[in-house]
Amino acid sequence: MTHRHDVQRDIITRTLEELIPRSVPARLTVKVTETFDAPGGHPRQNTWEGSVHGLAERIATALYGRRPETGSPLEQAEAAKQNRDLAGELGALMGGAAALQQQPWYPARPGDVVHIAYEAVHDLPGSGSTYLVQQNPDEPAFLALVAVAVSDTDGGVWATDGDPDPLFEMWMEAGGHRITVVRDGLTVHNGPASRGR
């Protein structure tokens, strides 16, 4: 079933792609630059860069609201695979990765607190786990995801000793709609709120 949000997003995506005639959509990126004078008269720039699809999703969400999540990126890819929809499968995987990377709080930082919540299903009660993102002292480019409170039976399945992107696997397998990220005492991502919980 196609949602109105998808149709509107697709129109926005095509419009952005047409800014460069005969372009290859998979190779397009969008860059927004703010130029200003810093103290002392030195010119400075702030930039945002991302995919055309990611920008189209942001615009469509701002205009029409976010539709409910239909599952994690891997669940969506698996559903497309079962329907023999290769484009849908690849789109779900690439879109899931892009959705994480387009988050204003991305990437994770040392000190972030990450909670993943699973809703109750049939006879199974809801569960969740809380993790702390820490710098890996042996490998500065890697972050550790340390379980600090676990109510699920897997005992902190998302914990890692070191990973350059410690939330990627969690985001792709469980979905951003199950994840809450707290940074410096402020909730910067509240996935469960997107489900109307």
Side-chain angles (χ1 to χ4, degrees):
M1 178 169 88
T2 302
H3 296 274
R4 179 169 187 243
H5 177 85
D6 295 330
V7 172
Q8 301 296 349
R9 184 200 59 225
D10 291 345
I11 292 169
I12 295 166
T13 300
R14 280 194 308 276
T15 301
L16 293 170
E17 290 170 350
E18 291 168 359
L19 290 172
I20 300 177
R22 296 177 303 283
S23 64
V24 177
R27 292 190 288 196
L28 287 175
T29 60
V30 179
K31 184 175 185 177
V32 179
T33 304
E34 172 195 30
T35 304
F36 60 96
D37 287 332
H42 301 292
R44 299 267 324 252
Q45 287 187 341
N46 288 325
T47 61
W48 175 89
E49 188 169 352
S51 69
V52 168
H53 176 80
L55 178 59
E57 180 68 28
R58 283 180 175 221
I59 293 169
T61 299
L63 290 173
Y64 309 108
R66 181 170 297 281
R67 65 182 172 85
E69 292 284 345
T70 56
S72 73
L74 286 181
E75 290 168 338
Q76 293 174 32
E78 185 59 34
K81 183 178 181 179
Q82 289 179 359
N83 291 328
R84 299 182 191 277
D85 177 7
L86 181 59
E89 182 180 357
L90 292 174
L93 295 173
M94 292 171 57
L100 172 61
Q101 294 163 356
Q102 298 297 324
Q103 296 299 314
W105 50 266
Y106 179 85
R109 297 181 192 161
D112 286 356
V113 176
V114 181
H115 181 78
I116 184 162
Y118 293 99
E119 55 277 354
V121 178
H122 304 295
D123 295 338
L124 299 172
S127 65
S129 300
T130 304
Y131 300 86
L132 178 63
V133 178
Q134 294 181 340
Q135 190 75 48
N136 183 326
D138 299 327
E139 192 68 46
F142 290 78
L143 298 173
L145 201 55
V146 179
V148 292
V150 178
S151 68
D152 62 34
T153 56
D154 293 327
V157 69
W158 303 110
T160 65
D161 289 336
D163 193 321
D165 195 351
L167 300 185
F168 182 81
E169 188 176 352
M170 180 188 294
W171 185 276
M172 294 298 286
E173 289 188 27
H177 61 287
R178 291 189 173 106
I179 298 171
T180 302
V181 180
V182 177
R183 177 172 292 159
D184 300 328
L186 299 173
T187 301
V188 294
H189 180 78
N190 189 353
S194 72
R195 294 193 319 245
R197 285 180 59 177

